Amino acid sequence: MNTKALHSSKSFSSRPELSKKHSLITQILFFGTLFAGLLFTVASLNHDVSNTDTSPTTWLPFILLGVALLIALGFEFVNGFHDTANAVATVIYTHSLPANVAVVWSGLFNFLGVMASSGAVAFGIISLLPVELILQVGSAAGFAMVFSLLIAAILWNLGTWFLGLPASSSHTLIGSIIGVGVANALMHGRDGTSGVDWAQASKVGYSLLLSPLVGFIAAALVLLALRTIVKNRELFREPKGNKPPPAWIRGILILTCTGVSFAHGSNDGQKGMGLIMLILVGTVPMAYALNRAMPADQAVQFAAVAQVTQASLQHTAPGAAPDKPLQTLSVYIRTKEATPELLPALAAVTGSIGEQVKGYGSLAKVPADAVANVRNDMYLTSEAIRLIDKNPEAVHLDADTKANLMAFKKEIDKATKFIPLWVKIAVAIALGLGTMVGWKRIVVTVGERIGKTHLTYAQGASAETVAMLTIGAADLYGLPVSTTQVLSSGVAGTMAANRSGLQMGTIRNLLMAWVLTLPMAMLLSGSLYWLFSQFI
């Protein structure tokens, strides 16, 4: 990459103050919150494990757990300062908020966004991982998977941050996951394509191509609309000194900064949560594999729904179940190819799960040595139902059977897809504090090195509004759109619409980073997975 364009920007007469250090009180609060978060995490983990009434036979899993948790929280911390520019660059360069205030404000709403998140995205990211590794995540191969994909994502994020490139953390993580899937398949003598959910990968690929265009065109159109509607020419000129914009446009800029920060926390924070839960399930399954807080009466309901679902499946597909029904489900999840044995196998596993839960009386009473197997059965069943629902033409079901399947999946998800409060708090602290560190590099790129003139009030409002609305729509429809790319290209679009000129060296570097993110993350994680598999 040509780094010259990134490290040499022209002088702006109204450049904001970016070198002012945080006050002593802010620094004390930062390190105090960091220490309190680590202490709370350790205490909560110890409390949950102690309540299982099981004694560890070796400390090795807990050592690996500690390392894995630090790496996962480290990813969220790096994600925080890598993606801060999405929210704060425009409010800083339009003098709507001082830089120090902006990053603290963004950190607070990233924190709140994580705490308000539902957790749906957290487990969606796990479904991209190879099924055989998820089922044995506590094994050496499982730890190699977790370490490799997280470290690869951190390395690429740090590299692009060092160069001041606003690349997408979400695409980095997805690329790392794909890399592990390809490497795992190749290492087991299979075609590399068999270890990847290519439907999801295609969505990411399309978004890589489309999101910059969406940001560029939409922000340019918003700016042109503002030019037509608003007659105050001051909004379309470079700020004079450190003078803030008019109150109404300043309010829009702060509102959109808040919205992007909150949405970033609610979306990106969940990815860390999902990986942490995967780590916890693998290392301390007796505490986290099943939702031990589920009331006993819900276990009765669970068993009843399982029985009804099994009967419905047996009526739809009356054939005998295969000898190894779990293997049939596993193969279906990996290949996405339905066979005549699929529904009988699903019926057999559904009945078995229902009988086990009914026999134990509640999830809290499942013996420690059976927890992992029960959860794996539930995971395979839930994933199989999810794929059947996504590809209804492959398996012909009547309306009642499909309704029963979805009801049973809902019961399974209650039992397995939960996030303890301390996990949310730990991720929220890591992401929130991360926004306050190292933000300057990418903020300067977005604010100074995309266009040839200083960002105007109207340009900042246009780019930030497009970013906020785009990430909101992406959350609503589950689309893998990169807010980083939308905002950066949005700034470029406003510069083009304003005829301000673009710094083509920076634009080329941004495009190169966007194109390379997926393949480089795949290469890094796949190589690390192979390396770790040799030594762990």
Side-chain angles (χ1 to χ4, degrees), residues 423-461:
V423 173
K424 273 193 172 185
I425 292 176
V427 170
I429 289 174
L431 189 63
L433 293 182
T435 64
M436 299 169 62
V437 177
W439 48 270
K440 183 178 175 180
R441 287 178 180 272
I442 295 178
V443 166
V444 169
T445 296
V446 174
E448 296 182 20
R449 294 169 179 156
I450 292 178
K452 291 182 178 180
T453 61
H454 193 290
L455 195 71
T456 67
Y457 304 134
Q459 286 174 321

Side-chain angles (χ1 to χ4, degrees), residues 61 65 134 136-139 143 276-285 288-289 372 375:
L65 169 62
I134 294 177
Q136 47 182 322
V137 68
S139 65
F143 277 109
I276 286 175
M277 288 309 299
L278 189 65
I279 294 165
L280 291 172
V281 167
T283 50
V284 278
Y288 299 106
R375 187 189 185 284

Side-chain angles (χ1 to χ4, degrees), residues 465-489:
T465 300
V466 168
M468 184 183 73
L469 294 177
T470 301
I471 194 173
D475 281 348
L476 184 63
Y477 294 104
L479 299 173
V481 174
S482 168
T483 312
T484 302
Q485 294 175 359
V486 172
L487 184 84
S488 302
S489 56

Side-chain angles (χ1 to χ4, degrees), residues 9 40 228 520:
S9 62
F40 178 70
T228 303
M520 287 303 298

Side-chain angles (χ1 to χ4, degrees), residues 50-79:
S50 299
N51 282 348
T52 61
D53 297 324
T54 56
S55 301
T57 56
T58 175
W59 287 103
L60 180 60
F62 293 95
I63 294 172
L64 291 173
L65 169 62
V67 173
L69 284 179
L70 285 175
I71 295 174
L73 292 174
F75 166 76
E76 287 298 342
F77 189 85
V78 172
N79 187 8

Side-chain angles (χ1 to χ4, degrees), residues 21-90:
K21 295 183 178 179
H22 290 291
S23 66
L24 180 60
I25 294 177
T26 303
Q27 293 180 47
I28 292 173
L29 287 174
F30 178 93
F31 288 105
T33 304
L34 180 63
F35 178 76
L38 290 173
L39 190 63
F40 178 70
T41 298
V42 173
S44 300
L45 184 59
N46 181 66
H47 175 268
D48 290 348
V49 174
S50 299
N51 282 348
T52 61
D53 297 324
T54 56
S55 301
T57 56
T58 175
W59 287 103
L60 180 60
F62 293 95
I63 294 172
L64 291 173
L65 169 62
V67 173
L69 284 179
L70 285 175
I71 295 174
L73 292 174
F75 166 76
E76 287 298 342
F77 189 85
V78 172
N79 187 8
F81 67 73
H82 187 277
D83 287 6
T84 306
N86 295 339
V88 303
T90 53

